[in-house]
Amino acid sequence: MSTVVLIGAQWGDEGKGKVTDYLAEKAEIVVRYAGGNNAGHTVVVGDQTFQLHLIPSGILYADKPCIVGNGTVIDPEVLLDELEGLKNRGISIKNLRISPKAHVIMPYHRIIDAADEKSKGTKKIGTTGRGIGPAYSDKASRVGIRVTDLIDEENFPLLLKGALEEKNRLLRDYYGIPEMDYNTILKDYQKYAADLKQYVEDISVLVEEAIKEDKNILFEGAQGTLLDLDHGTYPYVTSSHPIAASACLGTGIGPTRINRVAGVAKAYVTRVGSGPFPTELFDNTGDYIRKQGHEYGTTTGRPRRCGWFDAVVARYSARVNGLDYLAVTKLDVLTGLDTIKICTGYKYRGEVISEFPCGRDALKDCEPCYEEFSGWKDDISLVRNYQELPDNAKKYLERVSEVSGVPVGIIGVGPKRDQTIILKEMY
Ligand code: IMP
């Protein structure tokens, strides 16, 4: 048996959906441990495309328990919509389990998210507007509403009343926007509670039991390392912990239970929202990558900022996650480029640094130092065996692995399940 944590090694959108889907096939349980419906995982099965925001990709396999951990924040309306969408496409959702300790995104969280971004003006974070930050703020401030509260018929109305009084003061007196109506929210959320109650179970017990039974468990990360609240490019981060350590916290198991950590990195880098991005491309190559890679947000539709592979980021990610393997996705997107670059270090205040800086403004003053590689023209989307890749693609990957300090275990050459080259089995 093995427990594998799969995380995003860049700024999110690394193509984790496809890799988790691949790994989910061999897993017996799939667990999502952090984030909310700010995430968007695209999974292509045959000629069908699924876009999942909160539900683990394992749901596409009928026989696997799929767990939404306590580290997530749940918008019940969105979750129920997602479940309905899956049901309508013939996917069984009976194996879904939701932690009673997960926090609930309330309608005022979404309103506050938007109002807060507006008030920040040019300093806005560029959030997904899903209420993620305000929901996690309430959790940390100990005024949040959890799933266990939502399904508690007696207490929920009282908790909502208390919370809404405070939020309405904030909306009215600080943001100058209309108050929200208690009865409307109560009615909607009582309905959501009734629909979700059947899936709620202490998932820490479930996962620990599965570990004792020697099952393969996949912990599916959302977002990416550089969006981590502690280890990301603060303040341009999300409000949760996408890194591997969070799999324990967001599930309720101990660190000794994790066997392996794999990081997903695109063969280039993208970022959505604001914040520094040293290898960002503002030229035709950036446009080419965006077009070839369909780099538009799954959740918001926003065009993603595109740039060269950044090995400083990859090494950092290897350190803070303890990466055993890299899954390099979307290698096919680079096909057709004459030259491809890898950033191996940053020039900062006249010196070359090789470690990712900590300072709030340091990254925006970092200039990338590049190594250049010749590209390849052959279509690689049908390649399933490493040896059959063009020599230049192999040279590129070998250098990616060398400068990142992590062996490459999986290579993605297209969006479909089988467009994958496996070098190392993860379980
Ligand atoms: P929030 O998570 O909506 O609060 O947004 C905070 C930052 O994280 C913004 O820059 C978002 O664009 C970014 N972000 C959140 N979720 C994702 C994701 O799944 N992929 C990429 N960026 C994300």
Side-chain angles (χ1 to χ4, degrees):
M1 86 89 196
S2 281
T3 52
V4 177
V5 183
L6 189 81
I7 57 94
Q10 296 160 333
W11 273 284
D13 308 318
E14 295 91 350
K16 290 182 292 297
K18 184 188 138 161
V19 183
T20 41
D21 175 58
Y22 174 78
L23 292 178
E25 193 179 1
K26 295 203 174 115
E28 289 157 284
I29 298 194
V30 185
V31 188
R32 168 88 187 264
Y33 58 84
N37 58 307
N38 46 349
H41 290 170
T42 307
V43 184
V44 183
V45 185
D47 55 3
Q48 292 208 69
T49 301
F50 295 88
Q51 297 201 323
L52 302 166
H53 296 282
L54 195 62
I55 301 174
S57 333
I59 201 81
L60 302 179
Y61 297 92
D63 56 332
K64 301 191 202 294
C66 274
I67 292 176
V68 180
N70 56 277
T72 63
V73 283
I74 297 177
D75 186 324
E77 186 183 2
V78 175
L79 176 59
L80 285 163
D81 266 2
E82 202 164 311
L83 289 173
E84 196 55 35
L86 287 169
K87 257 197 313 195
N88 291 341
R89 293 172 75 179
I91 307 290
S92 163
I93 54 170
K94 69 176 186 344
N95 284 323
L96 180 72
R97 296 291 176 273
I98 301 170
S99 168
K101 296 185 193 166
H103 277 248
V104 179
I105 298 179
M106 304 297 293
Y108 45 78
H109 290 137
R110 287 191 298 266
I111 304 278
I112 293 169
D113 196 352
D116 204 40
E117 282 282 271
K118 198 165 161 217
S119 74
K120 283 195 173 93
T122 54
K123 292 209 160 66
K124 72 175 183 180
I125 306 293
T127 72
T128 59
R130 305 296 194 257
I132 307 294
Y136 278 115
S137 296
D138 276 2
K139 173 177 176 174
S141 305
R142 295 160 295 185
V143 294
I145 292 178
R146 303 193 295 175
V147 169
T148 176
D149 304 319
L150 176 71
I151 60 173
D152 180 338
E153 287 170 25
E154 215 171 293
N155 268 325
F156 178 67
L158 304 173
L159 284 169
L160 176 63
K161 192 154 220 114
L164 194 63
E165 266 169 24
E166 190 215 310
K167 299 303 176 197
N168 271 339
R169 263 201 305 279
L170 187 72
L171 296 181
R172 187 186 59 226
D173 299 341
Y174 182 72
Y175 292 114
I177 51 182
E179 295 182 24
M180 303 191 78
D181 179 52
Y182 170 75
N183 286 318
T184 310
I185 302 177
L186 180 65
K187 205 166 128 243
D188 288 346
Y189 275 65
Q190 280 173 330
K191 163 96 180 57
Y192 304 148
D195 291 346
L196 286 179
K197 200 171 182 166
Q198 58 187 308
Y199 304 110
V200 180
E201 192 172 333
D202 188 343
I203 59 106
S204 164
V205 174
L206 278 183
V207 177
E208 182 69 7
E209 270 171 6
I211 289 170
K212 287 193 175 133
E213 286 164 18
D214 267 0
K215 292 196 166 150
N216 286 338
I217 305 176
L218 174 65
F219 295 90
E220 168 180 337
Q223 285 84 40
T225 301
L226 293 183
L227 292 173
D228 186 273
L229 184 57
D230 274 270
H231 298 287
T233 45
Y234 192 88
Y236 298 103
V237 293
T238 188
S239 298
S240 67
H241 294 286
I243 64 165
S246 169
C248 295
L249 205 58
T251 309
I253 56 156
T256 50
R257 300 291 189 263
I258 303 296
N259 299 126
R260 228 171 323 289
V261 183
V264 187
K266 272 180 193 158
Y268 47 95
V269 178
T270 62
R271 172 162 208 178
V272 281
S274 323
F277 178 2
T279 64
E280 184 166 9
L281 288 163
F282 298 96
D283 56 8
N284 290 342
T285 308
D287 293 341
Y288 179 84
I289 292 174
R290 187 173 308 104
K291 189 158 169 268
Q292 295 297 111
H294 310 289
E295 294 297 354
Y296 297 88
T298 316
T299 299
T300 58
R302 290 182 289 180
R304 295 178 184 144
R305 300 156 66 192
C306 299
W308 294 122
F309 186 86
D310 187 334
V312 185
V313 165
R315 285 197 294 273
Y316 178 66
S317 196
R319 169 154 54 87
V320 298
N321 291 292
L323 293 186
D324 294 305
Y325 297 112
L326 265 188
V328 177
T329 56
K330 300 185 104 167
L331 184 66
D332 53 303
V333 171
L334 299 182
T335 301
L337 289 171
D338 292 328
T339 307
I340 301 172
K341 296 184 188 178
I342 296 179
C343 163
T344 54
Y346 298 147
K347 203 162 172 201
Y348 179 63
R349 297 191 175 160
E351 273 179 47
V352 174
I353 57 169
S354 56
E355 295 296 343
F356 198 73
C358 298
R360 180 178 284 249
D361 291 322
L363 196 60
K364 88 173 157 39
D365 298 329
C366 285
E367 235 180 86
C369 310
Y370 286 120
E371 281 180 17
E372 287 196 10
F373 298 81
S374 299
W376 59 91
K377 304 282 175 205
D378 305 344
D379 178 7
I380 59 170
S381 64
L382 296 174
V383 175
R384 300 292 176 268
N385 180 332
Y386 183 79
Q387 294 315 326
E388 286 163 19
L389 283 172
D391 283 347
N392 286 345
K394 282 190 277 199
K395 273 188 207 147
Y396 178 70
L397 285 170
E398 274 154 29
R399 191 64 183 142
V400 160
S401 169
E402 228 167 60
V403 284
S404 306
V406 187
V408 173
I410 295 180
I411 302 157
V413 291
K416 298 204 170 124
R417 245 180 205 171
D418 69 332
Q419 287 181 301
T420 309
I421 301 171
I422 303 297
L423 300 172
K424 297 261 189 284
E425 287 299 339
M426 298 285 158
Y427 297 104

